[in-house]
């Protein structure tokens, strides 16, 4: 299966949304706290992990 950029970003966004919803409804934390603290940190971590993974994949593809 080949992933293009929109499909890959959509999958990462879906994971972030599902994780945020899980934290929002699965813990006694206030929704405003979740949206102010958890969501931005999940977005930043998802973006960093996505870029690192993409660069690692490019490196592996060119060195094989």
């Amino acid at each position: 299966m080949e992933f293009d950029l929109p499909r890959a970003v959509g999958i990462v966004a879906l994971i972030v949304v599902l994780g945020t919803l899980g934290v929002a409804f699965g813990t006694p934390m206030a929704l405003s706290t979740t949206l102010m603290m958890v969501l931005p940190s999940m977005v930043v971590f998802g973006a960093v992990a996505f870029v690192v993974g993409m660069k690692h994949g490019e490196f592996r593809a060119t060195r094989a």
Side-chain angles (χ1 to χ4, degrees), residues 13-39:
L14 179 65
I15 292 170
V16 168
V17 167
L18 290 176
T20 302
L21 288 175
V23 169
F25 294 113
T27 62
M29 189 182 310
L31 182 61
S32 63
T33 304
T34 301
L35 296 177
M36 286 189 314
M37 299 178 73
V38 175
L39 179 61

Side-chain angles (χ1 to χ4, degrees), residues 1-12 50 54:
M1 179 179 213
E2 292 188 23
F3 291 104
D4 54 354
L5 185 62
R7 183 174 296 155
V9 170
I11 291 170
V12 171
F50 181 78
M54 184 177 62

